[in-house]
Amino acid sequence: MTYPGGKGGSGVTQWIINQMPPHSVYVEAFAGGAAVLRAKRPARSSIAIDIDPHVVANLSGDTLSGATVICGDAITWLGGAMLPVDALVYCDPPYLRSTRKSARDLYAFEMTTDQHAALLDVLLGLRCMAMVSGYWSEMYADALRGWRWSTFATTTRGGGAAVGRAPFLQDGP
């Protein structure tokens, strides 16, 4: 299954997995095609969250190493989650529109700048480890100051070169 912004090509999935610290619980928020969840070694407990019912139906019909699949808003879910300190949350939200080359909608459920701000607030309040993928933006760089950033080369859906970034807070707040 291909998905806009999916991490299945160009070795990106394995690169992201290689950045992950050990964890007992894995949450893939904004799951989309769940490329990372499908490729990584299963955690004791895995959760995939997506707001798109069609995406959730596809994920629910697949074998995802015993993962729980949730149809819902990842920001709301993460804001109320009681995750253990050794959990890892990986977020690959629809990228900020200001960082994209195309202004057209790519997803059935796009995110506003306010929703990105809400996601950042939730991530900063987590008591566990977190990673987030995206193109560089001042908004994310300012909010996630102090997080470790890694950069990888990739290609866009149109075949153009792009630089992805994945910051993660290794030890929680």
Side-chain angles (χ1 to χ4, degrees):
M1 172 178 170
T2 60
Y3 196 79
K7 301 296 178 264
S10 305
V12 173
T13 298
Q14 191 57 52
W15 183 89
I16 291 169
I17 292 168
N18 290 345
Q19 306 303 309
M20 292 181 170
H23 52 276
S24 67
V25 176
Y26 176 71
V27 178
E28 190 159 325
F30 311 95
V36 174
L37 176 60
R38 292 174 194 280
K40 71 179 284 303
R41 186 172 171 214
R44 189 174 66 228
S45 174
S46 296
I47 300 165
I49 307 166
D50 205 286
I51 198 167
D52 187 334
H54 297 294
V55 168
V56 170
N58 285 336
L59 293 176
S60 296
D62 295 344
T63 303
L64 290 176
S65 302
T68 300
V69 179
I70 297 171
C71 185
D73 175 48
I75 299 168
T76 302
W77 191 92
L78 289 170
M82 299 298 291
L83 296 168
V85 71
D86 67 339
L88 174 64
V89 174
Y90 171 60
C91 295
D92 185 25
Y95 296 169
L96 276 167
R97 287 183 182 269
S98 63
T99 67
R100 298 185 200 170
K101 292 180 181 175
S102 172
R104 68 181 175 84
D105 286 351
L106 296 176
Y107 306 93
F109 296 86
E110 292 283 357
M111 283 178 62
T112 66
T113 302
D114 287 345
Q115 288 171 313
H116 280 279
L119 172 61
L120 289 166
D121 285 344
V122 166
L123 290 175
L124 292 168
L126 291 176
R127 297 286 176 222
C128 64
M129 299 171 287
M131 296 175 67
V132 60
S133 295
Y135 296 134
W136 186 92
S137 73
E138 194 169 312
M139 177 184 199
Y140 274 75
D142 286 346
L144 303 180
R145 188 174 294 122
W147 286 38
R148 183 174 69 84
W149 287 80
S150 297
T151 304
F152 57 90
T154 188
T155 56
T156 64
R157 290 178 57 89
V163 175
R165 288 182 167 69
F168 83 77
L169 179 61
Q170 189 168 33
D171 297 320

